[in-house]
């Protein structure tokens, strides 16, 4: 799947969560975090500003005056000279590309930081931001919520794209003995089959052909092909 498709998928999923979860439900922030962790697996661009209004509303990102930065009094000349988007920490760890956001980023005249980062922690400790502990949510739980919302909206393509990722990609590093017994995976599969997203036309290579699942009982179950499991 192209990185542009991934970027669009994450953006669409965030907008769906924002639309279908109550405005005061702070769990959306944790789901957004899981979606961005997934996006970080791929060589995607920085896409926060596509949905910045949602990120700010849901408490995933905070925007404050640049003068609120803890280092501003000591480094005023540096901060005042910033005229374009600037990440305040360079990427130093190839295995953690999200690390470049850890110290916040500037889009003049504002300073931004994402919940859970080092800068966010410093601003919380200084009393400039509210402390709201984050919860780490498994991606598969988030995708279940997303495809459920997508079914309500009739967004079959988004369901198809998530389903085409494969159950193992949605589980990630989480252990599943038999995916057919996972309530979350079963719910995602049911939505995909019910909406016919399993056969929705996707670009070549985005979904394995039926022959790929030959002699793969779990694969045929996930794809909805000749499976005795419901």
């Amino acid at each position: 799947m192209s990185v542009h498709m991934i970027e669009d998928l994450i953006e669409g999923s965030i907008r769906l969560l924002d639309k279908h979860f109550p405005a005061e439900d702070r769990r959306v922030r944790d789901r957004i975090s899981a979606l961005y962790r997934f996006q970080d697996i791929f060589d995607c661009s920085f896409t926060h500003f596509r949905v910045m209004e949602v990120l700010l509303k849901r408490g995933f990102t905070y925007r404050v005056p640049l003068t609120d930065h803890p280092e501003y009094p000591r480094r005023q000349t540096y901060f005042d000279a910033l005229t374009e988007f600037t990440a305040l920490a360079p990427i130093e760890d190839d295995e953690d590309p999200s690390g470049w956001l850890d110290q916040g980023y500037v889009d003049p005249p504002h300073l931004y930081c994402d919940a859970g980062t080092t800068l966010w922690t410093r601003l919380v400790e200084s009393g400039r931001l509210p402390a709201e502990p984050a919860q780490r949510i498994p991606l598969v739980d988030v995708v279940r919520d997303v495809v459920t919302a997508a079914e309500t909206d009739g967004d079959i393509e988004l369901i198809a794209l998530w389903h085409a990722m494969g159950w193992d990609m949605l589980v990630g590093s989480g252990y599943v003995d038999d995916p057919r017994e996972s309530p979350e995976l079963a719910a995602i599969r049911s939505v995909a089959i019910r909406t016919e997203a399993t056969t929705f036309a996707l670009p070549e290579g985005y979904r394995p052909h039926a022959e790929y699942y030959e002699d793969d009982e779990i694969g045929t179950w996930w794809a909805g092909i000749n499976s005795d499991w419901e």
Side-chain angles (χ1 to χ4, degrees):
M1 186 174 292
S2 74
V3 294
H4 297 299
M5 189 70 81
I6 295 291
E7 293 168 358
D8 292 345
L9 178 61
I10 298 304
E11 177 184 354
S13 297
I14 289 174
R15 293 193 181 279
L16 269 175
L17 291 173
D18 179 54
K19 178 180 178 181
H20 287 271
F21 274 68
E24 68 280 2
D25 194 336
R26 301 305 266 180
R27 293 178 302 167
V28 173
R29 177 192 61 176
D30 303 324
R31 283 156 172 75
I32 291 172
S33 181
L35 290 170
Y36 279 133
R37 285 198 301 272
F38 177 76
Q39 179 172 285
D40 285 342
I41 297 173
F42 305 90
D43 187 22
C44 293
S45 302
F46 180 62
T47 59
H48 281 33
F49 283 100
R50 287 189 180 190
V51 289
M52 184 54 75
E53 75 282 3
V54 177
L55 305 186
L56 293 171
K57 179 173 68 173
R58 293 296 182 168
F60 176 84
T61 298
Y62 289 87
R63 180 173 63 198
V64 298
L66 190 51
T67 53
D68 276 5
H69 195 287
E71 301 294 327
Y72 183 84
R74 186 172 64 86
R75 303 176 62 196
Q76 181 177 351
T77 301
Y78 167 75
F79 284 115
D80 288 349
L82 297 177
T83 60
E84 59 185 18
F85 176 87
T86 304
L88 299 180
I91 299 177
E92 297 179 351
D93 185 351
D94 292 339
E95 295 182 358
D96 183 18
S98 63
W100 71 294
L101 300 177
D102 191 56
Q103 299 295 334
Y105 45 101
V106 174
D107 191 34
H110 301 296
L111 171 67
Y112 295 82
C113 68
D114 296 340
T117 60
T118 295
L119 179 57
W120 175 83
T121 299
R122 295 180 69 185
L123 291 172
V124 168
E125 291 174 346
S126 68
R128 290 181 171 88
L129 292 180
E132 296 181 275
Q135 300 294 322
R136 191 175 182 92
I137 306 296
L139 177 67
V140 67
D141 290 36
V142 179
V143 174
R144 176 202 57 205
D145 294 341
V146 168
V147 299
T148 299
E151 181 178 17
T152 300
D153 280 15
D155 192 341
I156 311 306
E157 181 178 14
L158 188 142
I159 299 169
L161 288 170
W162 276 119
H163 180 266
M165 290 286 179
W167 68 267
D168 49 346
M169 180 69 81
L170 301 186
V171 171
S173 60
Y175 175 76
V176 174
D177 184 32
D178 187 334
R180 295 169 296 186
E181 297 178 352
S182 163
E184 294 79 20
L185 289 171
I188 295 167
R189 173 184 177 273
S190 293
V191 170
I193 292 175
R194 186 163 58 244
T195 60
E196 300 184 352
T198 55
T199 58
F200 183 90
L202 295 175
E204 180 66 24
Y206 282 43
R207 179 192 290 118
H209 293 289
E211 303 81 56
Y212 176 83
Y213 296 112
E214 187 175 357
D215 299 324
D216 180 355
E217 183 178 344
I218 292 177
T220 56
W221 167 79
W222 180 253
I225 303 171
N226 300 325
S227 174
D228 294 332
W229 283 70
E230 295 300 331

